[in-house]
């Protein structure tokens, strides 16, 4: 049995700002931009991983969420602790320098971690943590 990641969802509260971050700063490609009624979904992904999509969705896109759930998600997003995504990079320091120079919100400068990676992190415009790991050899 083989299972692989197809796509994941990341809540954003402003798609235009999210696209600027993920496309223009990180270099991901926009694969789809769908408007449906009052909702919008933008699919992005790394050109080197055409089989893996990140769907940037509104925080209240899940129809099973109660109003209290929506409020809780909004509160967690405002605190910057709701969601995170981790990318591999072959050069953590160069990735950090490029993203920092673009004006992204730095969470952590490049650090050697005891679990075998060198990593750094930023916040996207919606407050999601975006980490970059480099395997230590």
């Amino acid at each position: 049995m083989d299972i692989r990641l197809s796509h994941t969802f990341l809540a954003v509260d402003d798609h235009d700002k999210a696209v600027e971050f993920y496309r223009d700063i990180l270099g991901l490609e926009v694969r789809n931009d769908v408007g449906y009624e009052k909702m919008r979904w933008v699919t992005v992904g790394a050109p080197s991983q055409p089989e893996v999509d990140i769907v940037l969705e509104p925080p209240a896109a899940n129809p099973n969420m109660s109003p209290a759930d929506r409020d809780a998600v909004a509160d967690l997003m405002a605190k910057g602790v709701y969601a995170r995504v981790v990318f591999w990079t072959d050069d953590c320091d160069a990735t950090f320098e490029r993203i920092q120079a673009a004006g992204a919100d730095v969470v952590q400068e490049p650090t050697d971690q005891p679990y075998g990676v060198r990593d750094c992190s930023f916040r996207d415009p919606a407050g999601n943590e975006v980490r970059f790991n480099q395997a230590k050899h």
Side-chain angles (χ1 to χ4, degrees):
M1 182 174 92
D2 180 33
I3 60 170
R4 296 175 286 135
L5 181 63
S6 168
H7 58 280
T8 188
F9 295 88
L10 197 58
V12 299
D13 53 6
D14 184 323
H15 282 87
D16 293 330
K17 287 182 181 177
V19 167
E20 287 178 23
F21 180 80
Y22 286 97
R23 182 192 61 204
D24 301 341
I25 295 176
L26 300 191
L28 302 185
E29 59 188 16
V30 174
R31 297 178 179 163
N32 207 351
D33 190 340
V34 178
Y36 178 72
E37 296 182 356
K38 296 180 180 178
M39 306 273 274
R40 181 180 178 195
W41 296 267
V42 178
T43 303
V44 297
S48 61
Q49 284 186 302
E51 72 282 6
V52 179
D53 293 329
I54 300 171
V55 181
L56 307 173
E57 66 173 357
N62 185 333
N64 298 319
M65 294 179 95
S66 69
D69 291 341
R70 288 184 173 87
D71 290 344
V73 168
D75 288 345
L76 293 171
M77 287 180 69
K79 293 177 183 175
V81 296
Y82 181 62
R84 67 188 132 158
V85 62
V86 181
F87 293 94
W88 283 112
T89 178
D90 58 357
D91 188 333
C92 181
D93 293 276
T95 299
F96 179 82
E97 293 299 326
R98 184 175 55 82
I99 296 171
Q100 182 185 40
D105 181 15
V106 175
V107 175
Q108 177 201 303
E109 295 188 6
T111 304
D112 289 322
Q113 300 293 353
Y115 40 88
V117 299
R118 181 167 178 78
D119 64 1
C120 63
S121 67
F122 297 87
R123 293 233 181 271
D124 76 5
N128 299 302
E129 185 177 5
V130 182
R131 300 191 70 82
F132 297 90
N133 287 359
Q134 175 185 352
K136 291 196 302 190
H137 300 283

